[in-house]
Amino acid sequence: MDRYIAFILVVLLSPADAQASYFNTDRPQKIMGSFLTEVEHIDEVAEFSNAFGFAPKSVDEITHYLDANVHKMLPVISIGKLLFDPGTGMYRNDPYGIIDAIEMSAVRHREILFLLDEPLWTIRKACNEGKTKACRDIENRYADTLATLRSVGRLLRQQFPGSGVMHIEAWAELVLQKQAYPDELVIMLDDAEYLGFDCYGDFYSCGSPELGYNSHIDYGTGVWNTMQALESANPIGRKLFLVPGGFLADKLFDDVETLMDQLYLNAYLLNQSKEIGGLGVFLWGDMVEDGRFFTGARNIRSIVDLITLIAQFFGVGKKTSF
């Protein structure tokens, strides 16, 4: 009897995020989609997408988006805002509302990617606003944040086997990390299946006057090096994920030509390596953020045409003639 009890304990105490439970990054197609701002836009992108991203304002919106996904595209759910506590400036290990919202969906999803969008930059901004816990965590190289997000990912994978986590970090965070620790790898969530960064602007000169300008290659190389080190230590099939801009906005993308150039160059990179797993265009619909108006791709005909052609090249979506 003792040996059976011991066996049960081993099973119960074994790590739940063993390799078999990770998201399958070895896929017949690259992941391709756009970031949406309205549920109604799911139908608009289905012809040239096998995925779509969204940032729910509440857990109820998760259910609405999933119910609308009759095309069975891969949902990429940005969950950071639902986990962040602005009072402490830190993340909570509380994905249970997210889990309940997914369970309530009438459309069953076998695979989901949970997006952590700029989580370390969010902590740094909280520190700049005077949140002492956030400042302490930065001094500790984000130990508490990484532990919390690691635990969140574990709980989500347990509930939805085969689902995974994507960590997209802000370019500015990468720069500040390298300034503070020039000889160290940049910090990324160590059990995320997809890693990437975002910087919206000219492909070869993206950044700000305060922190300088670098090419997307420079930022991507930092993430790539971390990804390779993590994969060497614990192989789970990690992939780099690209996030080009697909919008026009003052002081980010002021002209369509610059926008098209960086989108094309990201698509070129996507075709260069099996270790680059997908491309997510930000963003599809219009929006206003921090007083700045963003004209989304759906209202820029040349960008829609280019996204469609890129999807066709990678065998995603339906063929369209122009």
Side-chain angles (χ1 to χ4, degrees), residues 217-239:
I217 298 295
D218 293 330
Y219 299 127
T221 298
V223 176
W224 178 272
N225 290 340
T226 296
M227 183 185 82
Q228 295 296 336
L230 292 173
E231 189 67 11
S232 178
N234 177 29
I236 62 172
R238 292 173 183 82
K239 296 286 192 296

Side-chain angles (χ1 to χ4, degrees), residues 157-314:
R157 289 189 186 93
Q158 286 176 345
Q159 190 68 25
F160 307 106
S163 293
V165 175
M166 178 185 294
H167 175 188
I168 303 298
E169 195 48 69
W171 68 271
E173 173 62 29
L174 304 180
V175 169
L176 291 172
Q177 284 190 30
K178 292 303 285 186
Q179 287 180 354
Y181 302 95
D183 297 326
E184 300 290 333
L185 295 170
V186 297
I187 300 169
M188 301 292 291
L189 181 59
D190 53 10
D191 68 343
E193 290 91 338
Y194 290 93
L195 302 173
F197 74 94
D198 53 28
C199 187
Y200 302 121
D202 187 288
F203 184 89
Y204 295 107
S205 182
C206 192
S208 71
E210 298 79 14
L211 294 177
Y213 295 87
N214 294 285
S215 75
H216 283 221
I217 298 295
D218 293 330
Y219 299 127
T221 298
V223 176
W224 178 272
N225 290 340
T226 296
M227 183 185 82
Q228 295 296 336
L230 292 173
E231 189 67 11
S232 178
N234 177 29
I236 62 172
R238 292 173 183 82
K239 296 286 192 296
L240 192 72
F241 196 86
L242 305 177
V243 187
F247 61 85
L248 291 172
D250 183 43
K251 297 181 180 179
L252 293 172
F253 289 113
D254 293 320
D255 62 89
V256 174
E257 184 177 358
T258 301
L259 181 59
M260 292 186 69
D261 284 347
Q262 61 86 44
L263 181 55
Y264 168 79
L265 288 167
N266 272 273
Y268 174 81
L269 288 176
L270 182 62
N271 195 43
Q272 299 309 300
S273 172
K274 293 181 179 179
E275 292 181 89
I276 304 179
L279 180 148
V281 179
F282 184 84
L283 75 157
W284 181 248
D286 297 344
M287 75 173 191
V288 177
E289 184 175 79
D290 298 329
R292 177 183 288 161
F293 183 78
F294 291 70
T295 300
R298 71 190 294 265
N299 290 315
I300 311 171
R301 186 67 249 175
S302 57
I303 298 301
V304 175
D305 291 347
L306 180 54
I307 293 172
T308 304
L309 286 172
I310 293 169
Q312 288 179 11
F313 178 83
F314 287 100

Side-chain angles (χ1 to χ4, degrees), residues 7 16 21 31 35 40 43 77 88 94 109 115 124 141 167 193 226 228 239 245 263 265 268 287 299 313:
F7 174 77
S21 71
I31 296 173
F35 191 87
E40 294 77 14
D43 292 338
I77 309 174
T88 63
D94 183 16
H109 295 275
L115 168 61
R124 192 178 293 273
R141 306 297 306 275
H167 175 188
E193 290 91 338
T226 296
Q228 295 296 336
K239 296 286 192 296
L263 181 55
L265 288 167
Y268 174 81
M287 75 173 191
N299 290 315
F313 178 83

Side-chain angles (χ1 to χ4, degrees), residues 92-155:
R92 302 180 299 264
N93 182 14
D94 183 16
Y96 302 105
I98 297 168
I99 291 171
D100 289 344
I102 296 171
E103 294 284 9
M104 288 180 63
S105 171
V107 179
R108 297 287 97 184
H109 295 275
R110 295 194 305 111
E111 294 181 316
I112 299 172
L113 280 177
F114 297 99
L115 168 61
L116 297 168
D117 185 21
E118 303 184 351
L120 306 185
W121 180 242
T122 299
I123 299 297
R124 192 178 293 273
K125 288 191 295 184
C127 172
N128 293 337
E129 294 170 0
K131 306 300 181 183
T132 56
K133 287 186 177 180
C135 295
R136 194 176 306 121
D137 199 37
I138 295 173
E139 294 173 0
N140 293 330
R141 306 297 306 275
Y142 296 106
D144 287 346
T145 294
L146 295 173
T148 297
L149 298 180
R150 198 179 296 121
S151 180
V152 166
R154 185 181 303 117
L155 290 168

Side-chain angles (χ1 to χ4, degrees), residues 8-133:
I8 292 171
L9 286 174
V10 168
V11 172
L12 291 175
L13 295 176
S14 293
D17 54 349
Q19 184 165 344
S21 71
Y22 280 93
F23 184 88
N24 179 20
T25 60
D26 185 14
R27 311 176 73 80
Q29 290 181 323
K30 306 275 191 178
I31 296 173
M32 298 194 64
S34 299
F35 191 87
L36 309 183
T37 55
E38 302 290 341
V39 174
E40 294 77 14
H41 293 168
I42 289 179
D43 292 338
E44 296 180 1
V45 302
E47 288 195 354
F48 46 83
S49 307
N50 56 20
F52 67 96
F54 66 101
K57 301 179 185 66
S58 67
V59 291
D60 291 340
E61 279 199 354
I62 295 176
T63 309
H64 296 156
Y65 270 91
L66 296 183
D67 283 347
N69 184 22
V70 297
H71 307 282
K72 299 181 179 179
M73 294 183 287
L74 173 68
V76 182
I77 309 174
S78 182
I79 61 173
K81 290 184 179 179
L82 301 177
L83 299 171
F84 185 70
D85 182 353
T88 63
M90 298 289 287
Y91 287 95
R92 302 180 299 264
N93 182 14
D94 183 16
Y96 302 105
I98 297 168
I99 291 171
D100 289 344
I102 296 171
E103 294 284 9
M104 288 180 63
S105 171
V107 179
R108 297 287 97 184
H109 295 275
R110 295 194 305 111
E111 294 181 316
I112 299 172
L113 280 177
F114 297 99
L115 168 61
L116 297 168
D117 185 21
E118 303 184 351
L120 306 185
W121 180 242
T122 299
I123 299 297
R124 192 178 293 273
K125 288 191 295 184
C127 172
N128 293 337
E129 294 170 0
K131 306 300 181 183
T132 56
K133 287 186 177 180

